[in-house]
Structures are given as structure tokens and as C-alpha cells.
Amino acid sequence: MKFIPKTLPFVEFIALMALLTSLGAMSTDAMLPALMQIGLDLGVTQINQTQLVISSMFAGFAVGQIFYGPLSDFIGRRNAMLLALAIFTVSSFISVVTSDFTALLASRFFQGLGAAGPRIIAMALIRDLYEGRAMARVMSFIAAVFIIVPALAPIIGGFIFKIYNWRSIFLMLTFMGLACLAWFGLRQSETLPAQNRNKFSLNLIKIEAAQVVKNRRTAGYTIVLGLIFGMFLSYISTAQQIFEVSYKLGDEFPIYFAINALALGAASMINAKLVMIYGMRYLSLRAMGAFCVIAVAFLPVVLAYDGVPSLWAFMAFCMSSFFCVSILFGNLNAMAMEPMGKIAGMAAALIGSASTLISLPIGVAIGQMFRGTLTPMVASFALIGAAAFVLLYRTSKISESNT
């Protein structure tokens, strides 16, 4: 007898998946307005250390991506999701009550570990229920969340922080976790029957990981993705300091952050149309080249103004740079996955995890160089961007020779 999973009403299913996949973005961006106060309240002596509140979450997210893929194949989507949500909810509550900065960083790591589950498992669950154009329709709705949430999260977090305190932001995340647990637990049935589940095998993971690493195309695109994400992470980690310290915007910071986030969303929609005409490699090379030109051209401007050019010049730099970054994110992921058809699920988890792990030391290193000016960030964008362009060009040549 063929297993036919029960499906929720379409609108409810989209809403549930959107809420689940928004946990990671909310956990990252909602905290940004409160970073400085967190450091003050928990006795941080070096203000740049508050950036670790962001990077520790990404570290957990990187580890979780590779963990939940095979786990959901082994114990089922439902059990894996409930475990991930429980980890997220408990770690969020620990962040509410902790009075030690190191303990907060540990709880943030586990918060990222929990948030990775909904991100990975939701995609697998969608694949279980939909295919072809129906799946594309669902994914388009989910993609809209990734445009809206990064723009709204700092505004929501800033509002809560202003009215209450930074602990209330973690309390909001705790309630979000509880809501997801209740909604998913009560309404979403299992979509992967026991007879279709894989056996959990470390040896299989090693074999499939070796296939990903040994493929020069996949490895090359993954490294480039990590370099790009590392530069973007440095911006996320220092955005609050740049806008509030360098530009003295105070409570207006979330608005300017949201404007830059919308540039990412706009590029995603434009890329969806252009990629069908020009192809992934063509767009990626030109977006990477434009990113480098923008950084190199803006560096003399930054130096001419002692590291702090006008706010609108900085906003123009961010929006144009992140427009390129958004085009690169989607296309690099797709190109890295191209040769991985037979192990697509594991490859997606490995590519996501590896690129995030590559990005962490880059993002942290650039962020820790912040001394009130844009010089370290823009110079790093120019240097790392140039290295990424060279690697992308060489990897693209390999891809062309194999097609």
C-alpha cells in the first residue's frame, strides 16, 4: 500500500514553513540593535566582542546544517523537526536568564544549532510533498520570507529593545520556538514513512563528503560562496556599530539596515528572470567583477574622508555591493549543486555547512578590526573580492570544459 502523507491546507502549510524558516533570520537580525547594550550589561570590556553574539549563532547554524540532513532521513522529518525546535526554544530561554557573556555565546551556538533544523528539514519536507511546478510555487512563497524577514527583524528587535530590554528579544524568540513546536507538533504529520528512511551511517557520510570535496567544481564554488558570505557576515556583525557609532544614527539604525536588506531581495527577484536568459556562470562572473570594482573604487573615497564618508555614499556602496552578493548567493549555490545529482540532499547540507564554516573566521577577523571607520571592511572587500573573482573564474573554466 502506497504511503500518502496528510497535507495541510495550502495557505496554512506555507505560513507554517515560512515561520519555521524565518527563525534563523530573526535570531540573527533582531539582535542587532541590542548588541552594544548586551555587552555593557554582561561586562564585556572590548566592544568588538559583542559581534560574537552573531558569529556564535552562525557557528551553531553551520554545524546543524550537516547534522539534520541525514538525521531527518533516519528518524523522519517530524521527529527531527521537533528535536530541533526544542533545542532552539530551550537555548533561547537560557539566553533570557543568563548573566554571563560566555554562557550567552554558548546558548547562541545551540540556538543556531536548533535554527538550522527548520531550515534544512523544511526543504526536505517540501520535497516530500511537492514536485515540479507545484514545488517551485511553494519555494517562491518561502523565498519571499527571506526578502521580508531580514528587513523587518531589526525593526521588530529595535522596537522591543526600546520598549523593554534586550532580554525581551530572546523572550520573543522563545515564544516563537514554542509557537512553532505547538503548531508543527499538532498539525503537521510525518511525510517520510519508516520503510523509506535511510540507515544512519557515518561511513556513508564520509563517502558522500569525499565526493563533494573531490569534485573541483563543487569545491571551488563552495569556497567562493564562503568568501562572499564571510564578507557579508562582517557587515552584519558590525552594522550596529557602524550606524550607531560611526554615523551616530541611534534608534534609526534598523531603518537603514532594512533598506540595505531590501537590495538583497530586489536582486533575488531580478536574478530569477536574468538567469533564464544569460545563465548562472555569466551572471556570477559579472556580479563578482562588479563587486570588486565597487569595493576598489570606494576605498579611495573612504580614505579621503578618514574612514567615514557620507552616510549616503556608504548606503550606495552597501546597496550596490549587496545587490551583487544576492546574485552570487543564488547562482553559486546552484552551480555547486550541479554535479551532485545523485547525492543532492547530503551535498546541499555539506555545501551550506562548509561555506558557513569558511565564512566565520573571515567575518570575525574583519569585524574585530573595526575601530570606528569603514577602512578595514572596504579594504577587505577589495582584497577578498579579488581572490574570490580569480577562484570563480578558474572554477568557471573547469565547468565549461566539462560541459
Side-chain angles (χ1 to χ4, degrees):
M1 183 176 174
K2 185 179 179 181
F3 174 80
I4 302 176
K6 295 180 181 178
T7 57
L8 293 175
F10 185 76
V11 173
E12 181 182 356
F13 180 77
I14 292 295
L16 176 57
M17 294 301 107
L19 179 61
L20 289 168
T21 55
S22 71
L23 290 178
M26 284 296 296
S27 300
T28 303
D29 296 343
M31 302 308 307
L32 296 178
L35 287 181
M36 194 175 298
Q37 191 62 49
I38 291 174
L40 290 172
D41 289 353
L42 299 184
V44 174
T45 56
Q46 171 52 255
I47 192 62
N48 283 350
Q49 291 179 347
T50 59
Q51 299 167 14
L52 300 177
V53 174
I54 302 300
S55 54
S56 58
M57 191 268 181
F58 274 106
F61 197 82
V63 174
Q65 287 182 81
I66 193 171
F67 175 72
Y68 288 109
L71 182 67
S72 70
D73 289 340
F74 176 55
I75 66 172
R77 315 300 189 207
R78 180 179 164 83
N79 291 333
M81 181 71 83
L82 292 175
L83 173 63
L85 291 173
I87 293 172
F88 177 86
T89 303
V90 171
S91 58
S92 295
F93 183 72
I94 291 174
S95 299
V96 175
V97 299
T98 188
S99 58
D100 179 77
F101 188 67
T102 302
L104 177 65
L105 296 184
S107 67
R108 284 288 282 175
F109 175 87
F110 282 100
Q111 194 175 38
L113 189 69
R119 177 71 180 92
I120 296 297
I121 301 166
M123 297 303 103
L125 198 150
I126 292 169
R127 287 197 302 270
D128 291 340
L129 296 174
Y130 297 94
E131 60 183 20
R133 294 183 180 181
M135 180 178 173
R137 183 187 180 206
V138 173
M139 293 302 293
S140 67
F141 283 113
I142 301 300
V145 175
F146 289 98
I147 297 173
I148 297 171
V149 171
L152 292 181
I155 296 174
I156 295 171
F159 176 79
I160 295 173
F161 173 61
K162 187 176 181 180
I163 300 299
Y164 300 102
N165 52 50
W166 62 265
R167 296 182 188 276
S168 298
I169 302 175
F170 283 114
L171 191 61
M172 174 197 70
L173 295 173
T174 303
F175 284 123
M176 283 186 67
L178 287 171
C180 288
L181 263 173
W183 192 356
F184 186 90
L186 293 173
R187 296 287 293 162
Q188 181 62 57
S189 61
E190 179 59 68
T191 60
L192 184 66
Q195 62 269 25
N196 292 347
R197 296 175 191 174
N198 295 333
K199 292 183 178 180
F200 188 78
S201 171
L202 289 176
N203 188 53
L204 178 62
I205 293 175
K206 290 179 181 177
I207 292 172
E208 294 184 346
Q211 288 182 251
V212 175
V213 172
K214 291 178 180 178
N215 188 288
R216 294 173 65 189
R217 293 164 61 187
T218 298
Y221 289 130
T222 300
I223 293 171
V224 175
L225 189 61
L227 295 176
I228 299 299
F229 189 40
M231 291 184 283
F232 185 62
L233 177 58
S234 72
Y235 163 75
I236 295 176
S237 300
T238 57
Q240 185 254 358
Q241 291 171 268
I242 290 173
F243 284 114
E244 293 194 12
V245 175
S246 301
Y247 288 104
K248 299 177 174 57
L249 292 176
D251 294 341
E252 296 179 15
F253 149 65
I255 298 173
Y256 289 91
F257 186 90
I259 293 172
N260 287 334
L262 291 175
L264 289 165
S268 295
M269 292 185 286
I270 293 172
N271 181 68
K273 296 180 180 295
L274 293 181
V275 74
M276 301 302 294
I277 302 172
Y278 298 106
M280 295 180 290
R281 283 191 288 273
Y282 180 92
L283 286 177
S284 296
L285 283 168
R286 279 148 186 81
M288 191 73 253
F291 179 91
C292 294
V293 169
I294 292 166
V296 171
F298 191 56
L299 185 56
V301 177
V302 172
L303 295 174
Y305 285 88
D306 296 323
V308 187
S310 72
L311 173 62
W312 294 111
F314 175 59
M315 290 294 291
F317 165 74
C318 287
M319 294 183 71
S320 56
S321 296
F322 298 155
F323 188 91
C324 297
V325 165
S326 185
I327 290 175
L328 287 163
F329 275 162
N331 290 325
L332 287 171
N333 267 303
M335 291 189 294
M337 284 293 295
E338 262 187 322
M340 298 286 113
K342 293 183 179 179
I343 55 168
M346 181 60 71
L350 287 169
I351 290 166
S353 181
S355 60
T356 305
L357 289 172
I358 291 169
S359 74
L360 282 171
I362 296 171
V364 171
I366 298 173
Q368 292 301 303
M369 289 189 287
F370 180 77
R371 296 293 183 273
T373 75
L374 305 180
T375 305
M377 186 178 76
V378 177
S380 298
F381 277 27
L383 291 173
I384 299 173
F389 179 81
V390 172
L391 180 56
L392 177 60
Y393 179 80
R394 295 182 64 179
T395 305
S396 296
K397 287 297 182 183
I398 295 172
S399 298
E400 290 176 4
S401 66
N402 292 336
T403 54

